[in-house]
């Protein structure tokens, strides 16, 4: 290196570089307040909760928090309720994400066409997305109520049922009904993401496919679907992450019941942490959930993402 | 010389004056500190019940005592968790409301101060119903004074019973089945009975009422789980409920998603003929502004099981003092004054308990108020005071009050729901519940 650099060039380089170092110092100085805030509100709590997960911290036993190492993790794995909640979470996630993918794809394809009222439909579609989850949950709680709910009222008037049906109180129906409320809220965003992807497909491709003799189905299978892959990956990852750690609807609609029928991981963590006040084991299960989410995203990116 | 002497005198005088001034200042400061501490506001935490009444009574207390009170209220559903967090975070708390169910947990954690050290407060025990005093005691200490006490009442719709040709309400759970089937057959109600079995804090009260009236126990006097014992456990009660849902179909399977408040509303809308509800709900049920069946709802003694009696469960909530207030003489004295004003007498009468009863219908725990003509007259407008007293005499406290109650309650509630929905047998559900109790008690 030293043989290549002439003394003059080296000085210029050094002078330039010293300015950069000064700039870097200034940048660091200016960014430090924000970095301190980020450390305080994001990094520190994450590290601290990891630390807590190694202790048997129970708030109602404030004078004793023994170090248990990975004990909280092994205890979680040994608890049958943990595995029940894992199973419920997987069922809920697969059910929700599949429904979101199908409905959002159909909606995106519809909104990608030119027709009268398209703008109005696009606007209406956004309404569920704009509604907070708490409102969404309360609304569906009223709809599903077995005594005065709108669902029973509508089905009875349409003669689909002859007497009111128990909805959320029926363990076989609980998860699909919560998934339905989740899908209703999440479809708009998924539709927008897929619609944006569709808009970016060059129309030449469809023209070329037509020239090659592809019919409507052929154009959908060979042009539209492959073009939608980036959108699919984005929607699958995002919605799966949302579904896996979803809590609001379970809290508002069933509180994990009846008889643990909707006891998903997020609810299990809530009960362990905020009802049993066992912060150590609650933090451990939360870390397991975070790891599972990372693993799931990795698998999706490695499978769907590789084909993009 | 004189100058030197003068200087010396000046110095001595100066030092004397300085020390005198410092002494005076320290005396003054002590007085100031004392008066400042006396003037420190009382930090009072409660759940959001009877908020207007509490504010009104607090205003009277502040005017009379010259003390100020910071009144904070939180939703009952999240109260335990919120307060525990505040205790751990060492938030300033002087006086607070405590449920009998949390007393062992909070006392063992060192968050509550016994009030034994305040003879003025202890003197009220002579007037207090024994059940209430017992409920405020833990490990030989008394931790509070009654805020309110009540029990699980049995109600029936007299109009529906009359229409079905039933002359008197049931005295046994078997009679209730027969009457319910009659009411069902007459098309008066699809599910004549309402019992809330949703997993919420009320669930243990509903379950305990069923167990006690069936002559059962969750836990024996030694604290050992007996709930799964077929002879004197909770088996008969849970079996009866399971049959009511699945065999007789007089209790809706939706009971597992029906909380206490919505259950009360369902009764008020005229959907049911019989209901288990907190006794104070009779006021709302017979209020035409809130109920379609106003005037028809009557209270009867809770039906008895084959080996049981007409015994129900009672609960009590108390005014308690935080440990941090108890450790500070002045803060403790201030908190004790407020506890006395609310749990004892204020202006010569049990003003707070009486006001709560008249405003919200929640029952009191002091004997003199049972004879108060104003209270009797107010109650007779919507209920039968004699029945209120009669059932209260046959009410007893929960047998599951322990430090691990909160953890066990989660498991037990789910077990009962599982049996009701046919996801497990009654025996398995109660066995699971008993195992959880034993395991938690060993850990504790």
């Amino acid at each position: 290196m030293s043989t290549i650099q002439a003394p003059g060039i080296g000085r210029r380089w050094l002078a330039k570089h010293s300015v950069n170092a000064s700039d870097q110092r200034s940048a660091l100085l200016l960014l430090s307040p924000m970095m301190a805030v980020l450390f305080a509100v994001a990094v520190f709590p994450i590290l601290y909760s990891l630390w807590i997960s190694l202790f048997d911290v129970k708030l109602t036993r404030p004078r004793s928090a023994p170090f248990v190492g990975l004990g909280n993790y092994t205890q979680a794995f040994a608890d049958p309720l943990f595995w029940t909640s894992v199973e419920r979470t997987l069922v809920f996630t697969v059910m929700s994400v599949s429904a979101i993918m199908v409905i959002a794809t159909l909606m995106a394809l519809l909104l990608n066409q030119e027709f009268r009222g398209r703008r109005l439909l696009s606007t209406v579609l956004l309404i569920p997305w704009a509604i907070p989850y708490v409102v969404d949950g309360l609304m569906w709680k009223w709809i599903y109520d077995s005594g005065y709910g709108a669902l029973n009222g509508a089905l009875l008037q349409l003669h689909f049922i002859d007497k009111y049906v128990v909805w959320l109180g029926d363990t076989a129906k609980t998860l699909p009904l919560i998934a339905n409320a989740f899908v209703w809220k999440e479809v708009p965003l998924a539709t927008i993401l897929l619609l944006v992807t569709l808009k970016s497909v060059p129309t030449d491709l469809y023209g070329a496919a037509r020239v090659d003799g592809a019919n409507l189905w052929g154009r959908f299978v060979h042009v539209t679907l492959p073009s939608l892959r980036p959108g699919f990956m984005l929607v699958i990852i995002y919605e799966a992450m949302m579904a896996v750690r979803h809590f609001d609807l379970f809290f508002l609609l069933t509180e994990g019941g009846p008889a643990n029928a909707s006891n998903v991981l997020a609810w299990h963590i809530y009960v362990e942490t905020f009802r049993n006040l066992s912060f150590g084991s609650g933090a451990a299960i939360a870390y397991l959930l975070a790891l599972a989410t990372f693993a799931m995203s990795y698998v999706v990116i490695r499978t769907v993402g590789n084909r993009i | 010389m004189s100058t030197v002497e003068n200087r010396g005198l000046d110095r001595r005088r100066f030092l004397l004056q300085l020390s005198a001034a410092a002494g005076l200042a320290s005396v003054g400061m002590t007085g100031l500190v004392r008066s400042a501490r006396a003037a420190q506001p009382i930090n009072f935490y409660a759940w959001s019940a009877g908020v207007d009444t509490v504010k009104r009574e607090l205003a009277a207390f502040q005017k009379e005592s010259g003390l100020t009170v910071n009144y904070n209220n939180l939703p009952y559903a999240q109260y335990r968790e919120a307060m525990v967090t505040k205790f751990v975070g060492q938030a300033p708390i002087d006086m607070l409301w405590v449920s009998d169910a949390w007393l062992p947990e909070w006392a063992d954690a060192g968050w509550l101060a016994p009030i034994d050290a305040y003879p003025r407060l202890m003197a009220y025990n002579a007037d207090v119903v024994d059940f209430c005093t017992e409920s405020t005691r833990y490990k030989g200490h008394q931790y509070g004074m009654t805020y309110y006490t009540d029990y699980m009442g049995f109600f029936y719709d007299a109009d529906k019973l009359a229409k079905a040709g039933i002359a008197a309400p049931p005295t046994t759970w078997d009679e209730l089945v027969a009457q319910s089937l009659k009411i069902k057959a007459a098309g008066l109600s699809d599910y004549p009975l309402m019992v809330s079995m949703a997993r919420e804090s009320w669930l243990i009260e509903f379950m305990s009422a069923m167990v006690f009236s069936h002559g059962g126990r969750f836990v024996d006097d030694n604290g050992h789980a007996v709930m799964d014992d077929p002879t004197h456990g909770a088996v008969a009660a849970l079996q009866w409920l399971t049959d009511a849902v699945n065999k007789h179909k007089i209790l809706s399977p939706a009971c597992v998603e029906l909380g206490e408040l919505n259950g009360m509303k369902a009764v008020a809308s005229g959907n049911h003929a019989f209901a288990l509800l907190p006794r104070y709900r009779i006021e709302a049920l017979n209020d035409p502004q809130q109920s379609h069946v106003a005037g028809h709802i009557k209270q009867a003694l809770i039906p008895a099981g084959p080996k049981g009696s007409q015994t129900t469960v009672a609960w009590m909530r108390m005014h308690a003092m935080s440990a941090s207030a108890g450790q500070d003489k002045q803060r403790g004295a201030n908190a004790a004054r407020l506890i006395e004003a609310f749990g004892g007498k204020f202006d010569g009468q049990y003003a707070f308990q009486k006001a709560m009863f008249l405003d919200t219908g929640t029952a009191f725990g002091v004997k003199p108020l049972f004879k108060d003509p104003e209270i009797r007259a107010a109650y007779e407008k919507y209920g039968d005071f004699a029945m209120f007293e009669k059932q209260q005499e046959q009410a007893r406290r929960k047998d599951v009050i322990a430090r691990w109650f909160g953890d066990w309650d989660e498991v037990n509630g789910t077990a009962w729901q599982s049996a009701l929905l046919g996801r497990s047998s009654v025996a398995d559900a109660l066995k699971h519940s008993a195992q959880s109790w034993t395991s938690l008690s060993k850990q504790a």
Side-chain angles (χ1 to χ4, degrees), chain A residues 44-87:
Chain A
F44 174 72
I46 289 170
L47 295 176
Y48 187 61
S49 60
L50 181 64
W51 177 247
I52 279 179
S53 75
L54 305 175
F55 291 84
D56 182 12
V57 180
K58 192 162 173 73
L59 291 195
T60 51
R61 201 184 50 219
R63 287 181 286 266
S64 164
F67 178 76
V68 290
L70 296 176
N72 286 325
Y73 294 87
T74 52
Q75 194 186 327
F77 287 130
D79 182 4
L81 195 57
F82 170 77
W83 292 110
T84 307
S85 65
V86 169
E87 183 203 322

Side-chain angles (χ1 to χ4, degrees), chain A residues 93-120:
Chain A
T93 304
V94 170
M95 211 160 24
S96 305
V97 176
S98 310
I100 289 168
M101 290 299 292
V102 172
I103 299 170
T105 306
L106 293 174
M107 291 298 290
L109 288 171
L110 178 68
L111 292 174
N112 199 35
Q113 305 301 312
E114 286 297 332
F115 62 91
R116 212 171 157 184
R118 187 174 64 94
R119 281 175 189 277
L120 180 69

